[in-house]
Amino acid sequence: MATHDGTTTGIRARVGELSILISAAVDGVGTTVSVAALQAVRPADLLAVELGGAAVVLLGAAASTGRLHRRGAGRQLLLGALVPGLAFLLGDLGLARTSASNGSLLLAAEPLLSVLLAVVVLRERLPGRGWSRSPSASRAARSWRWSLASTGRAGA
């Protein structure tokens, strides 16, 4: 159950954490496969395949759970244009110009930025040493430092 301070406890939290872990693994595979695909197709073409496949899965899930409704569809379509639409397009354009390992290192900043935005925009609180205990934030920060150091831009 979600509490008023933005934390989640119990079985729901464990299932949520497992889902996010699996999502991260799938995302890592997706980055590598996308780089390979971008050697054969243009970024806009890959975007159409990514969004088309995602739409089929999401529409099927919404229909099977009885959550497919017209009310609010316009707002959700606008949100979908931003994420995954614009985010995937920019990611594909970037991946077309760099290696899978560099792309993955740059994408490692996403969890750190997500935590920062949750704290600033949603006013969520991280308990005590939450930043240092957050594996995603710690991993992202280490990846950024390593990436910048390896490219000679550590002071930038």
Side-chain angles (χ1 to χ4, degrees):
M1 291 260 182
T3 62
H4 68 283
D5 66 354
T7 61
T8 306
T9 59
I11 293 173
R12 239 178 125 176
R14 288 186 204 95
V15 170
E17 290 166 359
L18 179 62
S19 296
I20 291 172
L21 180 63
I22 293 169
S23 170
V26 169
D27 194 44
V29 170
T31 300
T32 304
V33 171
S34 292
V35 170
L38 286 166
Q39 294 178 13
V41 299
R42 296 179 315 202
D45 296 334
L46 180 59
L47 177 67
V49 171
E50 291 170 331
L51 294 181
V56 168
V57 170
L58 293 174
L59 285 171
S64 70
T65 60
R67 294 183 178 185
L68 187 59
H69 305 287
R70 289 183 121 169
R71 192 181 80 221
R75 181 180 61 234
Q76 299 304 325
L77 286 170
L78 287 174
L79 181 60
L82 180 61
V83 176
L86 183 60
F88 278 24
L89 179 60
L90 292 173
D92 289 345
L93 288 169
L95 287 174
R97 292 165 175 80
T98 190
S99 67
S101 58
N102 280 339
S104 293
L105 285 172
L106 292 171
L107 290 171
E110 181 183 357
L112 183 60
L113 293 172
S114 294
V115 170
L116 180 64
L117 285 171
V119 169
V120 172
V121 175
L122 301 176
R123 304 209 189 283
E124 290 185 5
R125 294 184 314 144
L126 284 179
R129 299 178 351 176
W131 284 97
S132 63
R133 287 193 313 233
S134 168
S136 298
S138 298
R139 189 176 341 107
R142 282 193 309 271
S143 295
W144 263 111
R145 278 197 309 263
W146 180 82
S147 177
L148 292 176
S150 68
T151 59
R153 296 184 307 199

